[in-house]
Amino acid sequence: MKKKGGTLLQFVTEYFLLNIGMLGWIVAKKVKGQRFEDIFSKETVPILYSISIVLIFLALGISTYKIISGNFGSKGSKVSKVFSDVDKRKKEKPFNKVEIDNIEQVEGWSSVKAVRKRRFSTRDIVLMLVVTGIFAVLVLFRLGSHRVPETYQDFKVGEKGQNEIILNFNGKVNLSKIYIYLGYNSKRSISFSCWDEASKGWNVLDANHNIESAFAWNEVDFNNREFTSLGMVLMEGEARIHEIVCVDSNGNRVFPSNADNYPNLFDEQGLFPGIRTYYDQSMFDEVYHARTAYEFLHQLPIYENTHPPLGKTIISIGIKIFGMNPFGWRIMCAIAGILMMPLMYLLAFYMFRKTSTAFFAAIILGTGFMNFALARIATLDIIVEFFVLLMFALMFGFVKALEKGKSLKIQFLWLFLCGLAMGVAISVKWTGVWCASRQVDN
């Protein structure tokens, strides 16, 4: 592609078309439930899915045509031509002093020198801040709820009266579901039973139902079963329950008549979102990392120990400031993701000395689905990613200081800071070791 005068910057339009198409395809498939087969349906045509497919194929088709035909528009600037001619001449025979002086008179060579010596300007600062600001707004928009159930009641097997909950209702009610907001203990086993008036005893409905997720609304489906009393017995270990919400067959909330016996389990009913989304609860590996960060803060036994503790400690800073809610456990990861934008811009600029390249690098980073998603959830990946990028940026600074013959003090400072970033990356997640080894190999 380079031989035909093409660069990655000439695929910007196709890149955005592909991103928009992929985003539309994900929304159409995951949210609206549309499928490829529906395109040929005579009843309903999936508009969003169809448009997304067209955009994806359009982006791929135009890109393929450009690469095969070599039709990139401009065949390269004078600066690029001068670079190419000089590099070709260097391979044939080294330049002498007279030839170097003559080269500097070539049209466009002054532009080459300007590119090589170009300083970070006010324009770069503005572009960097604008890109970072837009990314920050997108990342922080509805990052997570500030309010979730906080009061709780602890239950423990082996202690009389502390391993069971009995909920009585006024007469007979048809319960569709109940929702249990579980505390820092995940994967709790609970036995559910209902009171049978005829036999005057308890009928076991599910002897071993697993409540999976910590700091999340866990659903238990009763399929509109009739209850006068509902029994819940913790089968093993300990459990911390923050809130219980009962819902009848009409979708209305049912309040137990003996709710006063469990004041901390029915005092924050208004915080139940109705429709559960990850805006109000933990998701993916947050059930490990956010939970462990909470345990660090409260000096509880640590659940997740597969990676070093620094990443969870960083997450706990947000929890300390904003509380144990989705916004609190995600904010530090969001900050790490946002800080990567100016860091990427600076690294790309000082590597290539071109505003367009630095801007494009930041755009690529900000519009990458993986990076955007990781910046909005409380996992270790975005934190280690930030320090790995910082590590490579500092190593680049050391290499440039070495090339320019800077003092040993300056060289050592760059190298020390690089080593510090490397150590922090490794202390966040073990993948930092692999990234550090790649840096040493290079």
Side-chain angles (χ1 to χ4, degrees), residues 147-150 217 253 268-274 280:
R147 299 188 64 204
V148 295
E150 295 181 2
W217 292 99
R253 297 178 194 175
E268 298 172 293
Q269 297 284 292
L271 297 181
F272 177 63
D280 302 283

Side-chain angles (χ1 to χ4, degrees), residues 59-95:
L60 295 177
I62 295 174
S63 301
T64 303
Y65 169 76
K66 282 186 176 183
I67 294 172
I68 293 176
S69 66
N71 184 14
F72 299 102
S74 172
K75 292 294 182 179
S77 65
K78 294 179 180 179
V79 174
S80 301
K81 186 176 185 303
V82 172
F83 267 128
S84 178
D85 293 342
V86 171
D87 290 338
K88 183 179 179 181
R89 174 68 175 82
K90 281 182 177 179
K91 291 178 181 179
E92 297 174 355
K93 183 180 178 181
F95 290 113

Side-chain angles (χ1 to χ4, degrees), residues 308 384 421-430 432-433 436:
V384 70
M422 181 190 301
V424 173
I426 295 172
S427 299
V428 170
K429 194 173 183 181
W430 289 125
V433 176

Side-chain angles (χ1 to χ4, degrees), residues 173-230:
V173 297
N174 291 322
L175 284 185
S176 172
K177 300 172 182 177
I178 70 169
Y179 295 92
I180 300 174
Y181 192 89
L182 196 61
Y184 71 92
N185 304 104
S186 61
K187 299 181 180 179
R188 301 294 92 181
S189 178
I190 296 178
S191 173
F192 291 93
S193 54
C194 68
W195 179 257
D196 183 15
E197 288 290 345
S199 63
K200 300 297 181 182
W202 291 96
N203 291 334
V204 177
L205 305 176
D206 191 340
N208 193 22
H209 186 93
N210 288 320
I211 306 296
E212 294 287 339
S213 300
F215 298 106
W217 292 99
N218 295 270
E219 179 184 295
V220 182
D221 196 342
F222 288 126
N223 296 315
N224 298 320
R225 189 182 183 91
E226 190 177 83
F227 287 88
T228 56
S229 295
L230 169 64

Side-chain angles (χ1 to χ4, degrees), residues 208-318:
N208 193 22
H209 186 93
N210 288 320
I211 306 296
E212 294 287 339
S213 300
F215 298 106
W217 292 99
N218 295 270
E219 179 184 295
V220 182
D221 196 342
F222 288 126
N223 296 315
N224 298 320
R225 189 182 183 91
E226 190 177 83
F227 287 88
T228 56
S229 295
L230 169 64
M232 302 167 54
V233 179
L234 180 66
M235 301 306 294
E236 59 182 1
E238 302 176 355
R240 175 169 291 181
I241 297 177
H242 287 249
E243 198 74 10
I244 298 176
V245 174
C246 304
V247 179
D248 65 15
S249 55
N250 296 319
N252 300 316
R253 297 178 194 175
V254 179
F255 206 67
S257 59
N258 65 333
D260 291 342
N261 295 341
Y262 310 98
N264 290 344
L265 301 184
F266 295 93
D267 60 337
E268 298 172 293
Q269 297 284 292
L271 297 181
F272 177 63
I275 298 175
R276 295 179 302 153
T277 66
Y278 293 128
Y279 178 77
D280 302 283
Q281 62 184 29
S282 60
M283 66 170 293
F284 188 48
D285 281 353
E286 288 182 338
V287 296
Y288 306 118
H289 302 144
R291 166 187 172 175
T292 304
Y294 175 86
E295 291 166 343
F296 280 161
L297 277 178
H298 295 83
Q299 299 181 349
L300 296 168
I302 303 303
Y303 176 71
E304 191 275 324
N305 57 9
T306 54
H307 291 286
L310 184 58
K312 279 88 73 175
T313 303
I314 293 173
I315 293 173
S316 71
I317 296 173

